Amino acid sequence: MGIVSVTLDAKKARGKNITKTVKVFSNDPANPEFQLSIKGTILEILETRPLSLRLQGLAGADLAGSFTFTAGSPLDVEIVEMRSLGTLLDIGEMKEVTAGREWNLSLSARASRRPALVKEKLYIDVITSDGEERTLEFLVQLDHRARIVLQPKKNVKFLDKETTKLLETGEPIEKSILVTGGDSTVEFEVTGVKLDAKISNAFQTRIEVISPRKSYRIWITLSEYQSKPTVLGKMTIETTDAVRNSISVWVMGQFRQARKKTSR
């Protein structure tokens, strides 16, 4: 008979409900190794609603939001001080809703000229009802969005692993880009898609309306295997937005070529 002691570092654990597996080795010839499944619950001193602290809006405009903090354990909490080490986040008043248990906090950030996603840390010093002084750390995302957003943001790539399947099966390969407004106030239409001359013979495009004046999907189709190792060019999405009426992304295709026989 023996005792196994396990310690969990809650600072490094992610999630509220934790499940870990521990392997135990012994000198028992019949059962020299077995696994223990350990489950536990991590109680946060303060929990947030929504779970992610995120200020979001169009680039060029100030960001603002309100968040609810609640005590996540039986311990009552006294808010002592709030601060941010950066200069981008403005911390408003923390209003107590229920003594020691619930608060509302207003956060804001100054406008950014360009689209950017910036992260700031919010520190809250508290005293809990067990007499302990603690400093809690929260990550705040400042999302200054473009008027029109592409998802995914990356360029469109048809890699050789994918194009080889086209050679084998003959079935066309499709990829897509979702085009949406940066926030709910932006309305626009996608009016067309143009391909550079370098890729116009290799790819075909079509526009799917997801939600009129709000969301569109651009489909890029590769139907035929190409005779060049690499095909690369720009695809331009045209819109009715007065600020961002065209958006360009690179489209690339890789095509593995048969090796040429050389005479000796």
Side-chain angles (χ1 to χ4, degrees):
M1 181 177 179
I3 298 176
V4 176
S5 298
V6 178
T7 302
L8 174 67
D9 187 350
K11 293 181 180 179
K12 297 181 180 179
R14 294 183 177 181
K16 187 172 182 177
N17 297 316
I18 302 297
T19 301
K20 297 292 182 181
T21 300
V22 177
K23 284 188 177 181
V24 180
F25 301 90
S26 72
N27 58 1
D28 182 357
N31 194 17
E33 176 185 334
F34 61 94
Q35 290 187 346
L36 291 178
S37 180
I38 302 174
K39 297 182 179 180
T41 301
I42 297 178
L43 300 179
E44 300 284 353
I45 300 299
L46 285 180
E47 296 179 338
T48 61
R49 292 198 307 270
L51 187 62
S52 175
L53 302 182
R54 187 185 187 96
L55 300 180
Q56 181 175 298
L58 296 179
D62 293 341
L63 307 182
S66 180
F67 304 92
T68 299
F69 289 75
T70 56
S73 77
L75 298 175
D76 287 342
V77 180
E78 177 187 349
I79 307 293
V80 178
E81 184 183 3
M82 296 176 294
R83 65 191 185 279
S84 173
L85 299 184
T87 59
L88 302 176
L89 184 65
D90 294 323
I91 303 172
E93 181 183 357
M94 178 77 91
K95 297 181 179 180
E96 191 171 53
V97 178
T98 304
R101 305 302 299 174
E102 184 176 343
W103 304 259
N104 285 335
L105 174 63
S106 296
L107 298 174
S108 61
R110 291 183 293 277
S112 171
R113 293 181 181 179
R114 297 180 179 180
L117 179 61
V118 184
K119 297 178 181 180
E120 288 274 8
K121 287 184 178 180
L122 170 67
Y123 296 94
I124 302 180
D125 296 331
V126 304
I127 300 176
T128 49
S129 55
D130 60 355
E132 291 288 331
E133 296 182 1
R134 310 168 193 263
T135 298
L136 310 179
E137 179 183 307
F138 299 89
L139 188 65
V140 183
Q141 295 184 339
L142 312 179
D143 190 2
H144 303 272
R145 296 168 66 87
R147 284 186 58 81
I148 297 179
V149 178
L150 302 184
Q151 299 175 1
K153 297 179 181 179
K154 298 179 180 179
N155 299 320
V156 182
K157 297 179 181 179
F158 293 80
L159 302 179
D160 54 8
K161 291 182 179 179
E162 300 166 312
T163 57
T164 300
K165 294 180 181 179
L166 172 64
L167 191 62
E168 295 171 350
T169 66
E171 295 183 2
I173 303 171
E174 281 195 317
K175 292 180 180 287
S176 68
I177 295 178
L178 184 64
V179 187
T180 61
D183 74 1
S184 59
T185 65
V186 177
E187 292 190 348
F188 68 100
E189 293 180 356
V190 173
T191 57
V193 180
K194 291 184 178 180
L195 297 175
D196 278 357
K198 296 178 181 179
I199 60 172
S200 59
N201 293 328
F203 301 98
Q204 299 81 45
T205 63
R206 60 185 173 90
I207 303 169
E208 178 187 359
V209 180
I210 304 299
S211 178
R213 301 191 64 80
K214 293 292 184 182
S215 179
Y216 300 81
R217 188 174 292 279
I218 308 301
W219 290 93
I220 306 100
T221 305
L222 175 65
S223 300
E224 296 182 2
Y225 204 82
Q226 302 299 302
S227 58
K228 296 180 179 180
T230 303
V231 176
L232 176 66
K234 281 188 178 181
M235 178 179 73
T236 302
I237 302 169
E238 299 175 332
T239 80
T240 58
D241 186 71
V243 178
R244 203 175 187 196
N245 54 18
S246 68
I247 310 159
S248 294
V249 298
W250 289 97
V251 179
M252 182 192 74
Q254 293 179 339
F255 305 92
R256 189 172 295 170
Q257 305 295 309
R259 293 182 179 179
K260 295 181 179 180
K261 295 182 179 179
T262 57
S263 59
R264 294 183 179 179

